[in-house]
Amino acid sequence: MGSTGAAPRWLSGVLGIVLVAVSGYAVFGSWEQSGIVSRIAADSTDADAYQEAAFLTTAEMVLIQAAVREPAGEERDELSAARERTQDAMAHMAAVDGEHPEKAAEIARHHADLELTFESYLRQLDRGDVAGAQFSLENVIEPSVAVLMADVLAEQKHHLEGYNRMQAAGQRQSRLLKWGSVLAFVAVVVVLLLYRRRVEKMAVTDPLTGLPNRAAFARKAQSALASGGVTLLAINLDGFRDVNEQLGHRIGDLLLQQAGARLRSSIRKGDLVARIGGDDFAVLVKSDDDPEVIGRRLTTAFDKPFAIDDLTIDLEVSIGAATAESGDTVAGVLQHADTAMNVAKQRRLGFSRYTTRQGQDSTARLSLLGELRRALDAGTEITLHYQPQIALDTGVLAGVEALARWQHPGRGRIPPGDFIPVLETTGLIHRFTDQVLEIALAQARAWRDTGLHIPVSVNISARTLLDPGFCDRVADHLRRWDIPGGQLCIEVTEHSVMTDPATAIDVLQRIRDLGVRTSIDDYGTGYSSMTYLRLLPLDELKIDRSFVAEMARDPGNHALVASTIELGHNLGLSVVAEGAEDAETVAALRALGCDIGQGYYFARPMEAEALQPSLMRKP
């Protein structure tokens, strides 16, 4: 933005100098040459024609001279049209001059003959031969144009001298022109001032959304901070980068424009919303207002999907708020708000308010990311435990779900809930997923070598689902371990799918084309519509444990599980119930015709070696 803003300011300065100089010269010329006959005899057709030719020739020369100073400037783009206008004026001059038609035609031919000289000069500029172009300008073009202008002005003077009878009227017109030139000069100055003001506004405005940019936001926030308390809200569009990568930058730009408009319409008079970079926005509010109320209003603005072309895109926002305290700087408060926003994103809260603990957590998160990167480089700290999935009608093992574990060399075992949400906010999630797939398929290969064909399910994040290269990497893993696609199941959550349904449908179909089974995990906790569920290329539906665990004691949960099982079967899907923790729940699931059960009643997640003795055991 800085370089983009500097260019218009520099250009406006040059244009201002040129316009002021031209206007000043016009005023000076009017006062010094009050008897210029072209203005005195304004009704003379011949004089007007020569005047127009002289003016356009001068303007053409100005553009030619400017081209050597700025070969890629705006003047270069205007040159072709200026040359065409000048040639037309010359032709008109030759057509209307009834007294000296031969001389007028000769002048027009002289100008036309300069066409090849102009083209050679421009080709020198295009080749980067500025010195050669400067030589041509000074030694060929300028002398030729000077002769041409001398002839035009001489003929103009000759025609004007024939209208002495209009001298008195001409003197009166000259006086009027003097004042008109003064007024024109003043008008030009005013226009320049207005234009400069516009350029200055552009320097503090985001060109895509029309909102204030980061620099303008910082100045406003600094002013508010100096006059009293202030609260800043940091806003990020969840999933925008995936949409931008999958659907293209044009859709991404349109999405940012609509998002900016929604934010602007959701704040009150006196508040300020700005785009501070990428898919990040910020809001400045009075500190005596409740940030949570404002946060809820802003998140509600994104409840409605975005309609772009023939696409429907669902986006959520993560918002963090921080209130300035004594001694805080704008940068510090904005950083605190950004920390709170990251907390909201990781925990899917929608809104979070900054606390000192969050600041400590943010530091810890950065440290954790560094250690995760080291763990992925080492390749030995990430391991998998496997939880059996049991066919409820036969009691035999139907498959296992691979669950990641991190054995930190210094801190011991770190729960998945502490590190996977951190991974999902960075590109490290792709490396992590690849490592999990590699371990899981290596284990599947080991089981196959002992005669056990055990399907393995692996859960992936929304970021990985929308990664353009994910399907190809899955295919590579399958080929490397010589595992048929049907022995792998890819699980995605409702939230992952609804981030970008169209892309999710395409990716899941490509995965199924590999023979890999697909499953939607934690069903019932998201917001997918029946339409999308019907369109998704799925093999399996997993009911979230929060409904299954209480279904034997809660009629409402029992009804939800029953309807989900029926829905899944009607769609031709296998239904897996997570959270089967006791015999009563398992019996209820069997009675409802659920296909597969997974939970502590059957087994806890365990290492592959511990799973071996129970492979053929029935509950």
Side-chain angles (χ1 to χ4, degrees):
M1 180 62 70
S3 61
T4 303
R9 285 196 292 272
W10 174 85
L11 184 57
S12 66
V14 172
L15 290 175
I17 293 172
V18 172
L19 288 173
V20 170
V22 171
S23 300
Y25 177 81
V27 173
F28 178 79
S30 296
W31 285 92
E32 289 293 316
Q33 300 183 32
S34 60
I36 293 180
V37 183
S38 62
R39 296 296 186 184
I40 296 174
D43 294 330
S44 171
T45 302
D46 290 351
D48 284 346
Y50 278 99
Q51 174 67 16
E52 183 180 14
F55 175 79
L56 291 176
T57 301
T58 301
E60 180 185 50
M61 192 61 198
V62 169
L63 292 174
I64 291 172
Q65 291 169 333
V68 77
R69 296 192 300 272
E70 290 291 333
E74 294 179 355
E75 293 84 352
R76 174 68 180 274
D77 297 334
E78 299 172 4
L79 183 55
S80 177
R83 286 158 58 188
E84 185 176 351
R85 289 194 297 269
T86 305
Q87 192 61 40
D88 290 344
M90 290 287 180
H92 176 67
M93 177 188 71
V96 301
D97 191 348
E99 184 177 1
H100 296 150
E102 295 84 5
K103 183 63 176 178
E106 179 184 352
I107 294 173
R109 284 194 301 272
H110 185 186
H111 181 269
D113 291 340
L114 288 175
E115 179 71 14
L116 294 177
T117 304
F118 290 162
E119 292 296 332
S120 176
Y121 166 73
L122 293 176
R123 284 195 296 272
Q124 286 178 307
L125 290 177
D126 291 339
R127 293 195 304 268
D129 184 10
V130 177
Q134 185 71 44
F135 180 85
S136 298
L137 177 65
E138 295 174 354
N139 295 279
V140 179
I141 296 176
E142 289 180 346
S144 297
V145 173
V147 171
L148 178 68
M149 285 296 296
D151 290 342
V152 172
L153 294 175
E155 283 298 303
Q156 179 192 34
K157 181 178 180 182
H158 172 78
H159 285 289
L160 291 174
E161 286 174 349
Y163 297 99
N164 290 330
R165 62 183 178 276
M166 300 178 64
Q167 186 65 35
Q171 292 293 336
R172 184 171 62 253
Q173 183 67 20
S174 178
R175 288 193 296 271
L176 292 175
L177 178 61
K178 293 175 186 177
W179 289 108
S181 298
V182 172
L183 292 175
F185 177 78
V186 172
V188 168
V189 172
V190 171
V191 168
L192 285 174
L193 291 175
L194 292 175
Y195 179 67
R196 180 177 179 82
R197 183 176 179 182
R198 180 187 176 195
V199 171
E200 290 175 346
K201 182 179 180 181
M202 290 172 61
V204 295
T205 302
D206 173 52
L208 181 63
T209 63
L211 297 174
N213 60 16
R214 190 182 189 95
F217 184 82
R219 283 201 291 270
K220 290 285 187 179
Q222 183 61 49
S223 176
L225 196 62
S227 61
V230 63
T231 294
L232 302 184
L233 286 82
I235 304 169
N236 181 259
L237 307 183
D238 296 339
F240 170 78
R241 292 182 182 179
D242 294 322
V243 172
N244 202 39
E245 291 173 1
Q246 296 294 318
L247 302 181
H249 295 297
R250 189 185 75 85
I251 297 297
D253 288 348
L254 294 174
L255 188 57
L256 286 172
Q257 290 173 351
Q258 291 192 24
R262 288 194 188 185
L263 290 173
R264 180 164 41 200
S265 64
S266 300
I267 63 172
R268 301 157 311 164
K269 184 177 181 181
D271 295 341
L272 175 70
V273 61
R275 182 187 177 209
I276 59 176
D279 58 339
D280 293 317
F281 297 82
V283 174
L284 167 67
V285 299
K286 298 177 181 178
S287 61
D288 56 352
D289 297 325
D290 186 353
E292 294 190 21
V293 173
I294 299 170
R296 283 196 298 271
R297 185 165 64 246
L298 293 175
T299 54
T300 300
F302 286 79
D303 287 345
K304 182 180 178 182
F306 291 87
I308 300 177
D309 294 343
D310 57 346
L311 299 172
T312 299
I313 301 174
D314 289 283
L315 274 189
E316 294 180 341
V317 290
S318 294
I319 302 176
T323 300
E325 298 181 358
S326 178
D328 281 346
T329 63
V330 172
V333 179
L334 194 56
Q335 183 178 0
H336 291 165
D338 193 62
T339 297
M341 182 271 292
N342 284 324
V343 171
K345 182 182 291 288
Q346 293 165 21
R347 300 178 183 175
R348 295 181 181 174
L349 301 175
F351 174 86
S352 177
R353 192 165 186 175
Y354 177 78
T355 63
T356 304
R357 174 62 183 273
Q358 286 181 353
Q360 297 169 347
D361 290 344
S362 179
T363 302
R365 175 180 174 274
L366 292 175
S367 175
L368 187 67
L369 275 174
E371 294 180 4
L372 278 167
R373 187 175 285 105
R374 178 195 53 75
L376 291 172
D377 289 340
T380 58
E381 297 178 22
I382 303 299
T383 61
L384 296 182
H385 282 195
Y386 302 89
Q387 186 168 32
Q389 298 173 328
I390 305 300
L392 292 177
D393 58 345
T394 63
V396 301
L397 184 73
V400 294
E401 180 178 3
L403 302 169
R405 299 290 186 264
W406 180 17
Q407 187 66 35
H408 191 282
R411 298 163 57 184
R413 180 167 293 174
I414 299 178
D418 290 351
F419 69 88
I420 290 181
V422 176
L423 279 171
E424 288 178 337
T425 64
T426 73
L428 283 177
I429 189 64
H430 302 319
R431 288 186 58 196
F432 173 79
T433 302
D434 284 345
Q435 198 164 114
V436 168
L437 282 170
E438 186 75 2
I439 298 170
L441 292 178
Q443 182 58 56
R445 178 74 261 168
W447 281 328
R448 285 182 69 87
D449 290 343
T450 63
L452 299 172
H453 296 184
I454 304 173
V456 181
S457 296
V458 175
N459 203 306
I460 65 169
S461 69
R463 199 181 187 99
T464 300
L465 177 65
L466 300 179
D467 177 21
F470 175 63
C471 292
D472 292 335
R473 295 201 302 274
V474 171
D476 289 341
H477 287 299
L478 291 171
R479 280 194 298 269
R480 182 161 47 253
W481 291 105
D482 192 20
I483 297 293
Q487 199 169 338
L488 175 65
C489 180
I490 294 296
E491 296 185 8
V492 295
T493 63
E494 286 185 272
H495 176 79
S496 300
V497 170
M498 296 308 296
T499 299
D500 181 357
T503 301
I505 290 171
D506 178 65
V507 173
L508 290 174
Q509 185 58 59
R510 291 173 59 199
I511 290 174
R512 289 187 83 197
D513 290 343
L514 298 173
V516 176
R517 290 171 56 81
T518 57
S519 172
I520 190 162
D521 193 18
D522 298 340
Y523 183 77
T525 61
Y527 50 90
S528 60
S529 69
M530 294 300 174
T531 299
Y532 281 123
L533 188 60
R534 178 177 57 83
L535 295 175
L536 286 171
L538 296 172
D539 299 289
E540 183 179 273
L541 186 66
K542 296 187 75 173
I543 308 174
D544 186 67
R545 67 181 67 251
S546 61
F547 302 110
V548 176
E550 297 296 325
M551 64 174 292
R553 291 165 290 279
D554 186 330
N557 280 345
H558 186 281
L560 287 172
V561 172
S563 63
T564 303
I565 293 172
E566 182 179 5
L567 171 65
H569 288 164
N570 288 338
L571 293 174
L573 306 178
S574 175
V575 179
V576 179
E578 296 184 294
E581 313 291 70
D582 52 52
E584 188 178 7
T585 300
V586 172
L589 289 171
R590 282 199 181 102
L592 292 173
C594 185
D595 301 293
I596 298 172
Q598 179 180 342
Y600 288 174
Y601 175 75
F602 301 108
R604 291 176 176 272
M606 62 187 74
E607 295 179 354
E609 295 77 8
L611 185 66
Q612 296 281 1
S614 64
L615 287 180
M616 304 307 296
R617 185 186 304 164
K618 296 184 180 182

